[in-house]
Amino acid sequence: MHFLRWTCLLLQIIDVQGLALDYLEIGTADFDTLAQQLHGTEGVAGLSVEPVEEHFQRLPERPPLLQKLRAAVAEADGEAELYVVRQEYMEPQCSNETVRELGLPYCLPWWFRATASLHRPAALVSVHAGPKALEAQVAMRVPTVSYASLMRRYGVTRLHLLKIDTEGFDVFILKQMLAWGEMTGQYPERLQFERNNLTDVQESQQILEALQAAYDCWIPAAEDDVQCLRLGDLAVGQPYASSGVSFPTPWWRLQLPDRLQVAGVRISLEDKDSLVVKVGDSLGIHLNRLCGPVQSTETGAVVARCALEGRYVMLLGTSQPRQVEVLGPRTAFGAFRLSLGQRCCHRGCNSSDTSLFEGYDPQCERRCREDHSCHFFTSFNSLWCITYADCEEELPERDAASVTFGLWPRELLPLPILRSSAQQSSVDWGGEAHRAIDGIFDPHFLRGSCSHTAQESQNSWWAARVDPETATAVTAVRVLGRWDCCHERLDGWEVRVGFDPDVLRNPRCGTVQSPLAAGGRRTIHCGQAMVGDMVGVVLPSGEPLTLCEVEVFGPYRW
C-alpha cells in the first residue's frame, strides 16, 4: 500500500510533457527555506538551488520529489566567484572580546551568512563593516547554471512558484526567466523576489515594466519582496454587446464573470487612433473609469494598462475589435483573484469554525475543487492553504502576500454608485463621504481612503445613491471597516435601502450588525431584493462612523 501511494504521488507531479514543480527557490541560505518547511509534506515537488556548500549540506532533500542543486544561477553554465562573509566576523563566533581585534564597530548579525554575492562583494557588508568589508569576505569558486539550463536539466515544464533571493542578482534571473517564457511559453504562475537597496533602481524599474506584460505585481506593506501573479484572459467565453457602427461614438462592451481586477486590455483592431478603454460597474459610458492611454506593441496589437476593478470592460471608438484579451490575475485552472492580504471566515470571523481546511498543500485549488462544499481558497507563498465554503466575511491576513481566489462567480451583481451623491451626518479628520466609494480597498484611515464622521448625540450616518439607470433593486451591501484604530465603534450598525433621501427613514437591509474585526469586510444580505436607489449605513450610538469602502449589489443577471 505504501508503494502504491508513493507511486500515485509521483505520477501527480510528472506528466507526459515533463516535470511539474510546486516551487523553485534560488538562493536559499539555510534558514526559512521552503525545503525545510515542506520536507514532511506529502506530494510536494520542489527544487532548491544554493551555491554555498555549508548551506547546501543543511538543506533537506527527498528525491525524486524534493531535490537540491549546489550552484549559482548566472548568465551561463560554468564557474564564477561568490563572495561570502567569514564566520569569525559574524555572531556567534564574533563576540565582544574579538570585535575590536577585527576592527569592526560591532559584530555582524548571524543572518549575514545569507548575504553571498555573485561576481562582486556584497554591498550590504560594506554598509555595516565599513573599511573592513573586503577583509570580512572571502571569494570562492562555485558552479553556475543558467535559468534555461536549469529548466532543461530537470525537464521542468510547469512551475507554480519561483522564489529568488540572490542579493541584488534577482533582476538578471528574472530577465532569463522572461526570455525562457517567450521562447517556450512556460512561465511560473507566481513570483517572489527582492526589490531593495541592493538592486540598481533603473534595472529594477525596467524589469518591473517588463513583467507587466505577463504578471500583476505588488509590494505588500512593510515588505521589500515583490509578489507577482500570472495574468490570464478574463474574457474567454464571456458575453459581450456592441453598438454597431452607426453610432456617433461606437462602443463594444464585455461583461466579466465577477467584479475583478483588470490589469490591462490587449486589443487587435484596424483603427487605433480614437480608442478609449474603460472599466467599472456601469452599463453606461460615463460612470466607469479610464484605463491608461492605448499603446502599440511589437505584435501589432494595442495595450491599455488599467489596474482597475470592475464588472464591465468597454471600448469606445470601435464596435468590431478582431480580438480582445482582458488581462487579470487568475490561476492556470481558471480561479479568479478576489483579494490580497485577506482571508475568509466562512461562518463569521468570531466563530471557531472559520475554514474547511488549513495546512500545507501546494495543490490548494485542486483541494478546493475536489470538495463540493468549497468555493474559495487562500494560497500563500509558503504553499500554506486555507479553503472555505463562503466568503461573506473577511479579515486581514498576517501574511500580506496571501491571495484569495474564487472558483466561480458569486451570485452578486455590482451596482455603480454615484460618487457625487455621497453624504454623511458630519465630517471629521478630513474623512469626506466620497472616500467610502473611491474604489480603493485600504482600511488604514491615514492613507486617505476612509470616510469619518464626528461624534454625534445619536445616529451617525453615511449615504449615497445608486445609479438609477442601472439599478433595479438591492440585494446585498458589502462594507470594509477600519484596521488601524477604533473598529470597535462599529457596534450595532445597520444598512438602510430605499428612496427617501433621509436614510434614517428607509427600511433596514438584513439584521443589526455586530462590530467588524479590525480591517474586516462583511457582506450584508437583505434577505430579499429591496427596491430603492439610496443606500446608507447608520450607527445609532452616535459614535464616529468610519467606512473604508462600501459596495452595493443587485440581483444576479447576465
Side-chain angles (χ1 to χ4, degrees):
M1 290 294 292
H2 178 75
F3 174 76
L4 289 175
R5 187 178 186 187
W6 182 90
T7 303
C8 290
L9 289 171
L10 183 60
L11 289 175
Q12 289 174 7
I13 64 167
I14 301 177
D15 56 31
V16 294
Q17 297 178 333
L19 180 65
L21 285 181
D22 296 310
Y23 70 85
L24 167 61
E25 53 181 346
I26 299 174
T28 66
D30 61 354
F31 57 93
D32 293 335
T33 71
L34 291 171
Q36 291 166 331
Q37 294 172 14
L38 300 168
H39 183 239
T41 304
E42 282 190 340
V44 178
L47 174 61
S48 302
V49 182
E50 169 57 46
V52 179
E53 176 70 25
E54 179 185 1
H55 301 165
F56 175 79
Q57 293 299 335
R58 291 196 182 109
L59 292 176
E61 63 178 335
R62 186 162 41 86
L65 298 179
L66 296 186
Q67 303 182 67
K68 61 182 181 179
L69 174 68
R70 182 176 174 254
V73 177
E75 303 91 335
D77 299 355
E79 287 188 345
E81 282 194 336
L82 185 77
Y83 289 80
V84 299
V85 178
R86 299 176 187 271
Q87 293 188 7
E88 61 267 27
Y89 284 78
M90 294 182 293
E91 299 170 339
Q93 288 197 19
C94 177
S95 65
N96 292 335
E97 289 73 26
T98 63
V99 65
R100 289 187 178 180
E101 298 175 8
L102 296 171
L104 296 177
Y106 47 82
C107 293
L108 298 178
W110 63 271
W111 50 263
F112 264 72
R113 69 175 189 262
T115 59
S117 177
L118 194 64
H119 300 315
R120 59 180 182 263
L124 189 61
V125 178
S126 299
V127 172
H128 290 265
K132 291 291 184 177
L134 287 178
E135 186 179 319
Q137 299 175 79
V138 59
M140 59 177 65
R141 302 292 293 180
V142 297
T144 61
V145 60
S146 70
Y147 184 87
S149 294
L150 191 64
M151 296 293 102
R152 293 191 187 101
R153 179 182 299 190
Y154 288 89
V156 179
T157 56
R158 186 164 61 84
L159 174 58
H160 175 67
L161 169 64
L162 173 61
K163 180 182 178 182
I164 310 173
D165 186 356
T166 56
E167 302 305 303
F169 205 71
D170 297 26
V171 165
F172 303 101
I173 298 173
L174 289 168
K175 288 179 180 178
Q176 293 184 55
M177 179 275 293
L178 288 174
W180 176 257
E182 291 172 3
M183 182 174 64
T184 65
Q186 298 166 10
Y187 293 89
E189 295 174 24
R190 193 163 178 172
L191 304 175
Q192 178 181 341
F193 61 94
E194 285 189 319
R195 188 194 186 195
N196 52 28
N197 57 7
L198 303 179
T199 305
D200 180 83
V201 174
Q202 184 175 355
E203 291 176 342
S204 177
Q205 189 59 40
Q206 288 175 350
I207 195 64
L208 282 175
E209 291 177 1
L211 286 170
Q212 286 183 1
Y215 290 92
D216 179 55
C217 298
W218 73 99
I219 303 176
E223 290 192 16
D224 289 328
D225 283 359
V226 180
Q227 310 288 336
C228 300
L229 286 177
R230 184 84 167 95
L231 294 175
D233 186 2
L234 306 176
V236 176
Q238 299 304 314
Y240 65 90
S242 171
S243 66
V245 295
S246 59
F247 271 56
T249 303
W251 53 263
W252 183 94
R253 183 182 65 230
L254 177 86
Q255 181 168 316
L256 299 177
D258 205 327
R259 172 187 272 169
L260 298 174
Q261 182 76 20
V262 176
V265 182
R266 186 183 293 127
I267 312 139
S268 298
L269 76 171
E270 297 295 337
D271 182 14
K272 309 168 187 177
D273 295 336
S274 60
L275 184 66
V276 173
V277 182
K278 287 190 168 187
V279 174
D281 295 329
S282 175
L283 288 166
I285 294 175
H286 303 293
L287 291 181
N288 294 333
R289 288 175 289 172
L290 278 170
C291 292
V294 172
Q295 299 176 337
S296 297
T297 67
E298 296 177 357
T299 62
V302 295
V303 172
R305 294 178 179 174
C306 301
L308 296 171
E309 190 170 278
R311 185 65 187 274
Y312 300 101
V313 175
M314 180 168 283
L315 311 183
L316 303 180
T318 181
S319 62
Q320 295 177 319
R322 292 198 302 270
Q323 183 180 6
V324 177
E325 294 176 89
V326 180
L327 303 176
R330 62 176 295 177
T331 69
F333 301 104
F336 302 103
R337 187 186 78 183
L338 297 179
S339 64
L340 296 172
Q342 299 276 118
R343 62 168 293 169
C344 305
C345 307
H346 72 177
R347 307 203 193 287
C349 291
N350 295 321
S351 168
S352 59
D353 178 20
T354 59
S355 62
L356 296 171
F357 167 82
E358 184 166 1
Y360 284 113
D361 190 340
Q363 305 297 328
C364 194
E365 180 176 355
R366 185 178 66 187
R367 172 181 284 273
C368 188
R369 289 187 182 278
E370 291 176 351
D371 182 349
H372 295 301
S373 61
C374 181
H375 301 123
F376 303 90
F377 65 94
T378 302
S379 66
F380 300 75
N381 274 351
S382 63
L383 303 188
W384 192 259
C385 166
I386 312 176
T387 65
Y388 320 93
D390 64 59
C391 200
E392 300 302 294
E393 190 162 352
E394 300 166 83
L395 277 178
E397 174 56 52
R398 285 173 295 179
D399 183 349
S402 62
V403 186
T404 296
F405 295 90
L407 294 188
W408 46 72
R410 292 170 288 194
E411 296 295 309
L412 297 171
L413 179 70
L415 300 177
I417 306 174
L418 301 175
R419 188 175 182 184
S420 60
S421 71
Q423 54 187 303
Q424 56 190 19
S425 53
S426 58
V427 179
D428 202 3
W429 294 88
E432 299 286 346
H434 65 79
R435 287 184 174 186
I437 49 173
D438 59 5
I440 301 174
F441 296 85
D442 191 335
H444 294 80
F445 178 78
L446 294 180
R447 293 178 183 164
S449 185
C450 301
S451 65
H452 195 306
T453 72
Q455 176 79 45
E456 313 280 3
S457 58
Q458 62 179 354
N459 291 331
S460 308
W461 60 266
W462 174 96
R465 187 181 301 277
V466 178
D467 177 16
E469 294 183 6
T470 303
T472 56
V474 173
T475 56
V477 176
R478 187 161 60 197
V479 174
L480 174 66
R482 185 174 178 177
W483 190 1
D484 51 329
C485 168
C486 320
H487 64 276
E488 68 281 352
R489 293 173 178 168
L490 207 61
D491 189 7
W493 57 288
E494 305 172 8
V495 173
R496 302 289 185 95
V497 176
F499 288 107
D500 199 317
D502 183 352
V503 68
L504 297 173
R505 297 180 180 177
N506 289 327
R508 187 173 65 214
C509 162
T511 62
V512 176
Q513 299 295 309
S514 61
L516 288 171
R521 183 166 70 167
R522 182 183 299 163
T523 302
I524 295 91
H525 292 271
C526 299
Q528 60 183 3
M530 298 183 67
V531 178
D533 61 358
M534 289 298 297
V535 175
V537 176
V538 177
L539 186 57
S541 67
E543 287 281 344
L545 175 61
T546 301
L547 304 173
C548 294
E549 196 66 23
V550 177
E551 302 166 87
V552 181
F553 302 91
Y556 186 84
R557 67 176 187 267
W558 288 103

